[in-house]
Amino acid sequence: TYNGSSNIQWADLSSFNLMNASEKLEFERLVGRYSSDNVKDEVYLDQIYNQKKADIARGVDTYWLSEPVRPGFTHKHNIYAEGGEDKIRYGLGISYGDVAGVMKTSDRQTLEGNVDLIYRTGKFQFSNKLSINWLDTTNPIVSFAEYAYANPYYRKTTEKYLYYPEEGVGDYPVANPLWNAHLNNWDTASGFGFTNNFIFEWFVLEELRMRAKFGISKQDDDEQTRLSPLHSQFDDKGETEKGMYSHTMIKDLSYEGDLSITYGKLFAKKHMVNAVAGFNFSNDRMQVYGYSANGFTDDQFDAPSFANGYPSGEKPDYSESLKRAASFYINGGYAYADRYLLDFNYRLDGASMFGTGNRFRNTWSVGLGWNIHKEPFMKDNDFFSMLKLRSSVGNPGNQNFSAYQAFST
């Protein structure tokens, strides 16, 4: 089977009620933007005000919000095939998605695949599920907010600054978002991972079943950001500090297994007995490492090898988290005529997060229940569809700790 879809998006900018060029200039005049106690600055600011007013009179009223946007287009495709016979069944699927966002240079591509296999023979069943994923994204370097901050009385230009004050004047420059956007900058991320789950089941008897499961999952993510040395944010930096490159890698590998035996049987049509006993384990290792570099000499020389060094006071970063756990458990239950209920469970949990002094802890609980709505005297009752009384006692626990939170004392 094949499924596909596509759609187009537009950015609705009508909700942005920003001042036009004339309104913004008048607002700045009223709040004292062009006034100064310094005579020299006052004369200069008067010239700037008059120049802007003259530009507005000539028709300058730039709408910056439309610059970073475009019509967005998304298309997705999925193909799935399945088949087999009595003993073996299979399923194969692949899907692809491509998103061109409404912000320019905002793109996302995804590719996913899965393979499902089931094999049955006698009292045995084997199944395996494999899924694979790939992701590649690109994000805009210049945010939408920077275009919204640009004043409408400035003309669109390819120059680095929309406005740059004369030397010695107590005023600040205004960076041009179009300049920063055209440079050799990027903000990208990519990822690849897979998950595989294998399950084995043995139906020993109608009331007795054994089940074993093993799963493994791996995910690698890569993030890179680069800013050109010509970017306006580096104007106050020295030549050996201009430009920036950062690279972060995240690697996660985990696996888990479970072995259980399940028993359930109804005796004399009134006594229901069920029990589950088993063992499970898990291991999760995550590594995060990355670094930043600066001191690039040219817009096009973007490889990390062209950097001067690490930013002042910084060095490569590395962190690792390792969590291991193992549990033994038994759960049981008894019900008489589906009216009187008894259940219990016991677990012995061991985890690396507990610390070396006390690796294992036990938890247990016992519960009683009464399905009152099942009693004969409630047979003609129409008010309650279910009425149950339950009580339990036990000592709960959890493993929601960071990998190295526990310390032996």
Side-chain angles (χ1 to χ4, degrees):
T1 59
Y2 167 79
N3 291 307
S5 64
S6 62
N7 59 74
I8 301 176
Q9 305 94 26
W10 286 271
D12 182 9
L13 303 177
S14 60
S15 61
F16 291 88
N17 184 21
L18 303 182
M19 298 180 187
N20 61 30
S22 180
E23 293 170 339
K24 184 60 187 300
L25 184 64
E26 178 62 12
F27 173 78
E28 291 180 347
R29 184 189 67 83
L30 292 175
V31 298
R33 169 68 178 87
Y34 303 100
S35 300
S36 175
D37 295 332
N38 184 289
V39 176
K40 181 180 178 181
D41 287 353
E42 178 77 21
V43 172
Y44 177 75
L45 292 174
D46 282 342
Q47 294 174 353
I48 295 300
Y49 172 78
N50 292 329
Q51 180 62 53
K52 291 177 181 178
K53 191 171 184 179
D55 288 341
I56 293 173
R58 285 191 289 268
V60 176
D61 189 10
T62 303
Y63 189 65
W64 291 96
L65 297 187
S66 62
E67 285 299 317
V69 299
R70 65 184 178 185
F73 180 68
T74 300
H75 59 102
K76 298 179 180 179
H77 311 272
N78 178 270
I79 299 176
Y80 186 77
E82 60 181 345
E85 52 184 14
D86 291 341
K87 288 190 174 183
I88 187 168
R89 300 287 300 177
Y90 67 86
L92 303 172
I94 186 170
S95 62
Y96 173 77
D98 189 355
V99 179
V102 294
M103 284 286 288
K104 294 176 181 177
T105 70
S106 175
D107 301 285
R108 179 186 181 93
Q109 291 181 312
T110 58
L111 182 65
E112 298 177 344
N114 63 281
V115 179
D116 301 333
L117 297 172
I118 298 177
Y119 176 69
R120 302 183 182 95
T121 177
K123 296 184 177 182
F124 302 98
Q125 175 173 295
F126 305 85
S127 62
N128 194 85
K129 294 180 178 291
L130 171 66
S131 62
I132 301 174
N133 67 85
W134 171 82
L135 169 70
D136 187 75
T137 64
T138 303
N139 301 308
I141 284 290
V142 181
S143 68
F144 183 80
E146 292 185 52
Y147 291 92
Y149 292 147
N151 282 312
Y153 47 65
Y154 291 126
R155 298 176 183 272
K156 291 182 182 179
T157 176
T158 57
E159 299 296 325
K160 188 173 187 177
Y161 291 98
L162 299 174
Y163 163 70
Y164 201 91
E166 293 182 357
E167 187 175 353
V169 176
D171 204 1
Y172 53 89
V174 178
N176 182 2
L178 294 177
W179 166 267
N180 289 331
H182 97 285
L183 297 173
N184 185 25
N185 307 313
W186 70 76
D187 181 1
T188 63
S190 61
F192 176 80
F194 72 87
T195 299
N196 191 84
N197 288 308
F198 174 77
I199 299 175
F200 164 73
E201 292 179 288
W202 178 19
F203 300 91
V204 184
L205 301 169
E206 182 179 353
E207 63 272 14
L208 182 64
R209 183 183 70 172
M210 186 180 76
R211 186 175 188 267
K213 174 186 175 183
F214 180 77
I216 184 170
S217 178
K218 181 173 176 58
Q219 181 69 39
D220 291 342
D221 295 318
D222 187 284
E223 302 172 0
Q224 298 185 56
T225 303
R226 196 261 180 173
L227 288 180
S228 167
L230 303 182
H231 196 286
S232 59
Q233 81 171 53
F234 301 113
D235 285 352
D236 59 346
K237 301 292 185 179
E239 291 301 321
T240 59
E241 297 179 308
K242 293 182 182 291
M244 185 275 292
Y245 173 84
S246 66
H247 189 187
T248 301
M249 291 170 286
I250 303 173
K251 298 182 179 294
D252 188 10
L253 175 64
S254 62
Y255 59 84
E256 60 180 356
D258 183 272
L259 176 65
S260 64
I261 298 176
T262 303
Y263 177 83
K265 189 172 183 178
L266 180 64
F267 295 91
K269 298 183 180 180
K270 287 188 177 182
H271 305 277
M272 182 66 200
V273 178
N274 60 77
V276 180
F279 159 77
N280 58 48
F281 63 91
S282 64
N283 186 96
D284 186 4
R285 183 188 187 192
M286 176 179 287
Q287 297 170 289
V288 181
Y289 40 117
Y291 67 95
S292 295
N294 63 0
F296 293 86
T297 59
D298 189 85
D299 180 53
Q300 298 303 312
F301 295 164
D302 51 15
S305 57
F306 289 106
N308 179 65
Y310 302 120
S312 178
E314 294 188 20
K315 60 181 180 179
D317 180 63
Y318 175 82
S319 63
E320 180 177 347
S321 172
L322 180 61
K323 296 181 180 181
R324 293 191 176 106
S327 299
F328 302 87
Y329 60 89
I330 181 170
N331 305 322
Y334 169 76
Y336 175 76
D338 200 22
R339 287 184 287 168
Y340 311 113
L341 314 174
L342 167 67
D343 63 75
F344 70 92
N345 69 74
Y346 174 80
R347 291 182 64 92
L348 180 63
D349 296 308
S352 60
M353 297 81 76
F354 291 159
T356 57
N358 189 11
R359 286 294 193 197
F360 284 87
R361 300 179 184 180
N362 62 72
T363 59
W364 61 270
S365 69
V366 177
L368 296 173
W370 179 22
N371 284 328
I372 303 175
H373 62 285
K374 296 283 187 176
E375 293 291 347
F377 61 81
M378 294 289 289
K379 182 178 181 180
D380 298 327
N381 172 69
D382 295 327
F383 187 76
F384 294 106
S385 61
M386 187 183 77
L387 181 61
K388 184 175 183 177
L389 181 65
R390 177 173 174 80
S391 176
S392 62
V393 63
N395 68 324
N398 67 75
Q399 301 174 12
N400 296 324
F401 309 108
S402 61
Y404 308 111
Q405 184 173 340
F407 292 93
S408 298
T409 58

